[in-house]
Amino acid sequence: MSKLEDIVSLCKRRGFIFPGSDVYGGMAGTWDFGPLGVMLKKKIMDEWWKFFVESRDDMYGVDAAILMNPKTWIASGHLATFADPLVECKECKSRFRADKIADGISESVTTEEFLATHTKCPVCGKENWGPIRKFNMMFKTSVGAIDDESATAYLRPETAQGIFTNYKNIVDTIYPNIPFGIAQQGKAFRNEISPRDFILRDRECNQMEIEYFVHPNHWDKAFEEMRSLQHNFLENIIGLPTDKIHEYEVPIEDRAHYSKRTIDLMFDYPNGEEELMGLAYRTDFDLQNIARESGKSMEYRDKITNETFVPHVIEPSIGVERLFLAVLSNAYTEEEIDGDKRIVLKLPENLAPYRFCVSPLLKNKPELVTKAKEVYDKLRTKYTNVTWDDSGNIGKRYRKQDEIGTPKCVVIDFDTLEDDTVTIRDRDTTEQIRAAIADL
Ligand code: GAP
């Protein structure tokens, strides 16, 4: 099995992530987070919110509706241009994203350029392709009891537009000084032609995005600040190693229609280097489009200079699932200790679903169980994320806690009853020390 398959299997076995609609045979590109996955995902999202919003006085949060007035997607350009190059094999009828199956071509590839690569169909091995068609990735739905064109709406393909459409509300209610940012976390939907690599490319994902509004003359300074903040967050808060993160300056032909500069931060995933997040200079593209489509001014008046202008925007955008997979694949370790093989998730303490696991050495000794429950209650009151485990033998419990990344296991034994000390076993070193309950 590949490392990615091992991770998928661990995720299912230990309740992190299940295939979406598993009971009915699944649904491609969708995944359900189980109890452990929800805890890890929430911690990742909370760390992002604390770092980028709560700890700053220039950031404001929004939680906009997923369904938006369809004018949003006309103004933003998504209706016209949010499309991938779709190619169909005429032999077996399989469909692919052309730029993902041929080397050295971009998203804007033409039929001629693609045919010149002499790519074989990954399913049937033949080389008999139809023309490249642009396939719009937005999911269409209808709103209300009418089922005609007038009821058409789209599931948002990026959370960003819920921010742009609230820019004026925030300027008119909070009166922020420029530069300021608006942040949002939430679902985004994309009808990906080929979802793949577990949760790396989904049809439904969560994004964490900031639109940082600046004076047009100051965009490059803000871009550099955001760039270094992203590294700081990924490396120092989330604990990803510096040498697994790489910057990619996206060339003009591959940049999104709204961007004048984009740097993608790439991560070394188990199946190779892939985009983890993007940092884009969106200029005033979105606010100008909204002004035109809505007829409302998007100008900002500087409180000190009285100058009026439409702000420019720096946008860091990261997918929660991609960050989740980066964290998981970085933590996933198979090793041998004293001849015993084990799988361990070496998660940073701030992200591990549980900080402690508490167990009685033997579950059929009521005096041990009672004492262990006391310790469990004490730790749970203090730290909240504490789990109880009295199943199987102690070796099996350690193996399970290693696999879910619990940093410390606390075991109550007969000595505890005498001297109020416990054994604390460390996840990464497997070393055991004796400590007083009072010091936990
Ligand atoms: N608002 C800008 C924007 O949406 P993007 O590069 O299309 O830009 C930003 O997406 C981030 O969202 C990506 O870097 C990735 O982390 C995440 N993302 C995009 N599509 C995804 C998908 N199909 N599955 C999982 N994550 C995705």
Side-chain angles (χ1 to χ4, degrees):
M1 281 212 295
S2 70
K3 180 168 172 184
L4 188 63
E5 285 167 337
D6 289 335
I7 292 172
V8 176
S9 151
L10 172 87
C11 281
K12 187 162 185 190
R13 186 167 74 247
R14 292 299 183 192
F16 282 90
I17 300 177
F18 310 112
S21 318
D22 202 11
V23 75
Y24 293 116
M27 171 137 182
T30 67
W31 298 91
D32 295 343
F33 282 70
L36 274 291
V38 168
M39 281 191 266
L40 176 52
K41 182 162 89 166
K42 189 165 180 317
K43 287 189 176 195
I44 290 174
M45 293 173 80
D46 287 350
E47 289 290 8
W48 186 91
W49 196 259
K50 265 191 271 170
F51 184 83
F52 285 109
V53 185
E54 282 174 2
S55 69
R56 299 175 59 114
D57 55 13
D58 59 347
M59 294 281 190
Y60 305 91
V62 289
D63 185 9
I66 287 173
L67 292 173
M68 300 181 72
N69 188 312
K71 283 184 185 167
T72 309
W73 311 113
I74 298 168
S76 70
H78 282 81
L79 209 51
T81 59
F82 192 59
D84 276 343
L86 175 74
V87 69
E88 186 175 297
C89 170
K90 286 202 225 160
E91 301 287 335
C92 70
K93 307 290 175 220
S94 299
R95 290 177 167 189
F96 304 95
R97 230 181 101 167
D99 58 325
K100 294 291 169 198
I101 55 168
D103 288 333
I105 59 169
S106 73
E107 281 172 33
S108 48
V109 62
T110 61
T111 302
E112 293 67 36
E113 284 164 350
F114 176 73
L115 294 180
T117 62
H118 293 292
T119 302
K120 305 248 182 304
C121 172
V123 173
C124 70
K126 305 257 172 58
E127 190 189 327
N128 185 9
W129 298 106
I132 294 210
R133 283 190 293 127
K134 284 287 180 189
F135 174 75
N136 195 296
M137 289 160 68
M138 284 198 294
F139 281 103
K140 245 187 202 177
T141 186
S142 13
V143 172
I146 313 158
D147 197 11
D148 63 17
E149 275 291 294
S150 68
T152 298
Y154 301 88
L155 302 186
R156 67 181 180 200
E158 61 168 8
T159 60
Q161 293 306 321
I163 296 179
F164 287 120
T165 49
N166 277 293
Y167 153 85
K168 195 170 159 43
N169 287 335
I170 285 169
V171 169
D172 291 348
T173 51
I174 311 281
Y175 311 111
N177 288 325
I178 209 150
F180 69 93
I182 307 179
Q184 175 162 229
Q185 299 182 329
K187 290 260 177 180
F189 302 83
R190 296 178 180 196
N191 196 359
E192 297 282 354
I193 297 169
S194 1
R196 65 181 168 85
D197 288 345
F198 191 28
I199 52 172
L200 189 86
R201 190 172 295 284
D202 306 329
R203 294 201 164 116
E204 182 180 332
C205 67
N206 283 277
Q207 288 186 319
M208 303 191 281
E209 302 199 288
I210 296 169
E211 306 306 326
Y212 198 67
F213 298 91
V214 298
H215 187 285
N217 295 346
H218 301 154
W219 75 267
D220 40 0
K221 181 169 167 279
F223 191 91
E224 289 311 320
E225 281 168 8
M226 272 298 160
R227 182 177 180 179
S228 104
L229 271 181
Q230 302 313 308
H231 284 281
N232 188 356
F233 172 70
L234 294 173
E235 292 160 32
N236 300 323
I237 308 293
I238 298 298
L240 297 179
T242 312
D243 62 358
K244 287 191 181 170
I245 301 170
H246 315 282
E247 288 196 349
Y248 172 62
E249 182 83 46
V250 181
I252 185 163
E253 65 274 16
D254 285 347
R255 287 205 292 261
H257 58 280
Y258 48 71
S259 176
K260 265 219 170 129
R261 183 177 182 195
T262 300
I263 291 181
D264 283 343
L265 296 193
M266 314 292 285
F267 185 76
D268 292 332
Y269 286 100
N271 283 359
E273 191 179 304
E274 293 280 356
E275 177 186 328
L276 166 60
M277 63 163 295
L279 177 67
Y281 169 39
R282 285 180 86 131
T283 68
D284 56 355
F285 177 86
D286 299 271
L287 290 185
Q288 294 287 13
N289 289 340
I290 293 175
R292 202 185 48 247
E293 195 70 34
S294 68
K296 300 200 173 102
S297 168
M298 294 293 131
E299 283 192 332
Y300 177 91
R301 180 180 294 278
D302 192 296
K303 288 179 208 162
I304 298 161
T305 64
N306 245 350
E307 184 190 359
T308 53
F309 54 88
V310 175
H312 281 217
V313 170
I314 307 299
E315 180 201 62
S317 170
I318 186 160
V320 175
E321 286 74 10
R322 291 213 183 162
L323 187 51
F324 189 108
L325 188 58
V327 167
L328 212 57
S329 60
N330 185 53
Y332 183 92
T333 313
E334 285 180 17
E335 60 187 19
E336 211 173 295
I337 293 194
D338 299 331
D340 283 338
K341 283 198 176 143
R342 69 164 186 161
I343 294 173
V344 53
L345 279 190
K346 295 189 174 176
L347 293 168
E349 252 182 56
N350 60 326
L351 300 182
Y354 296 114
R355 280 181 83 146
F356 291 100
C357 170
V358 179
S359 346
L361 181 64
L362 301 167
K363 90 182 219 194
N364 58 359
K365 297 287 174 201
E367 61 276 35
L368 292 185
V369 174
T370 306
K371 189 74 187 169
K373 283 274 182 212
E374 260 175 46
V375 175
Y376 174 62
D377 287 340
K378 177 186 150 133
L379 286 181
R380 220 160 47 128
T381 310
K382 194 165 170 190
Y383 298 109
T384 62
N385 293 317
V386 178
T387 183
W388 169 267
D389 193 358
D390 60 7
S391 61
N393 61 35
I394 200 79
K396 276 200 180 135
R397 288 181 215 162
Y398 286 158
R399 205 154 67 222
K400 173 177 168 193
Q401 296 306 319
D402 284 347
E403 287 199 3
I404 64 174
T406 310
K408 306 271 184 228
C409 287
V410 175
V411 179
I412 282 71
D413 55 22
F414 290 103
D415 287 345
T416 314
L417 305 177
E418 304 294 318
D419 61 7
D420 262 350
T421 64
V422 291
T423 298
I424 304 177
R425 186 251 191 195
D426 183 84
R427 177 195 69 196
D428 297 345
T429 61
T430 73
E431 272 169 19
Q432 303 188 10
I433 56 161
R434 207 71 203 165
I437 294 174
D439 295 339
L440 287 175

